[in-house]
Amino acid sequence: IWRDFMGINIEKIEANVKKYLDEKRYEHVKRVVKCAEELAQIYSVDIEKTKASALLHDVAKFFELSTMQELIKGKYPEVKDENSTAILHGFAGAEFIRKNYELFEIDDEEILDGVKYHTIGSKNMSKLAKIVYLADAIEEGRTWGGVEMARELSKIDLDGALKYEIDTKLIYLISKDTIIHPNIILFRNALISERK
Ligand code: FE
Ligand code: FE
């Protein structure tokens, strides 16, 4: 249909995303966009699509848990019984964007996947979705131990940087004796088997 030829309206997405975030979170989003754009350049991924996905990734960050659960109802068995907004805001964000086409004019599944999987990853992630996930973790404002190493790796080895981020996260989660979502492991396994 003809709307495929209209391209992505970044200004419109920006203006509408802003309405759902506070200033601090929007600053984070801008840093993710900047980082994702650089990575898209390095790894030859569509820049406009990557920017749109990065810009939208946290759109549902401040939604109520019940709103998130309502948005994803009947979809995504992997988070069916999930009640962590930290995990759900990606999946809920993708469905919110899909349902409100008039706000963002985005229905591209690759762009939506970047939003959907930025919290816990997944197997079978596209390069675009991997970039959004990584940019969220290593944008200039992030300070976790190892982030400099991940940034260096990100310039030469996308999957290597992702695996480094996941490994660091897993070690932290284990040290905290916290529940680990299986998608993180599936994501890590996919990175390893794609490499072979
Ligand atoms: Fe997020
Ligand atoms: Fe984020």
Side-chain angles (χ1 to χ4, degrees):
I1 44 173
W2 66 279
R3 82 185 185 215
D4 291 338
F5 301 102
M6 288 165 51
I8 295 169
N9 189 341
I10 290 284
E11 290 74 27
K12 182 172 179 178
I13 299 173
E14 268 171 1
N16 281 317
V17 160
K18 231 182 235 177
K19 294 177 190 163
Y20 297 94
L21 302 175
D22 63 16
E23 221 183 290
K24 197 177 150 214
R25 182 59 44 172
Y26 189 66
E27 289 301 313
H28 157 72
V29 165
K30 283 200 288 190
R31 293 191 298 268
V32 175
V33 171
K34 180 178 178 247
C35 182
E37 185 174 1
E38 288 165 9
L39 293 172
Q41 227 134 27
I42 296 171
Y43 297 104
S44 310
V45 176
D46 186 298
I47 306 243
E48 288 303 296
K49 278 175 65 164
T50 306
K51 281 173 73 175
S53 190
L55 197 47
L56 286 161
H57 85 278
D58 268 342
V59 70
K61 182 77 186 176
F62 297 130
F63 290 7
E64 297 287 339
L65 175 62
S66 57
T67 307
M68 293 188 193
Q69 286 169 331
E70 191 57 40
L71 279 163
I72 61 159
K73 211 153 135 191
K75 300 189 165 202
Y76 314 121
E78 71 234 77
V79 288
K80 188 170 60 72
D81 301 315
E82 192 56 64
N83 52 28
S84 154
T85 57
I87 289 174
L88 287 179
H89 74 273
F91 296 86
E95 292 315 308
F96 179 72
I97 296 157
R98 199 197 298 281
K99 275 193 181 150
N100 295 278
Y101 185 82
E102 69 285 359
L103 288 180
F104 310 107
E105 296 173 8
I106 293 294
D107 57 6
D108 180 295
E109 292 301 326
E110 216 184 348
I111 295 175
L112 294 176
D113 276 359
V115 177
K116 199 182 293 174
Y117 296 129
H118 86 270
T119 61
I120 47 171
S122 171
K123 51 187 177 184
N124 305 323
M125 274 164 78
S126 67
K127 251 201 271 181
L128 188 155
K130 286 176 176 176
I131 284 174
V132 173
Y133 177 99
L134 186 61
D136 186 40
I138 65 169
E139 56 91 345
E140 285 167 10
R142 298 295 195 195
T143 55
W144 50 276
V147 69
E148 294 90 355
M149 177 66 180
R151 285 184 190 123
E152 285 309 308
L153 273 171
S154 76
K155 293 172 196 159
I156 50 168
D157 180 0
L158 179 63
D159 285 357
L162 284 161
K163 202 174 98 53
Y164 181 82
E165 190 274 344
I166 294 166
D167 288 356
T168 308
K169 183 184 281 175
L170 285 175
I171 290 164
Y172 172 78
L173 292 173
I174 289 165
S175 81
K176 293 279 165 196
D177 213 17
T178 183
I179 289 169
I180 295 171
H181 194 284
N183 264 43
I184 301 175
I185 307 295
L186 294 174
F187 187 16
R188 186 177 186 279
N189 286 348
L191 292 169
I192 292 170
S193 53
E194 280 168 21
R195 180 146 293 211
K196 285 179 180 149

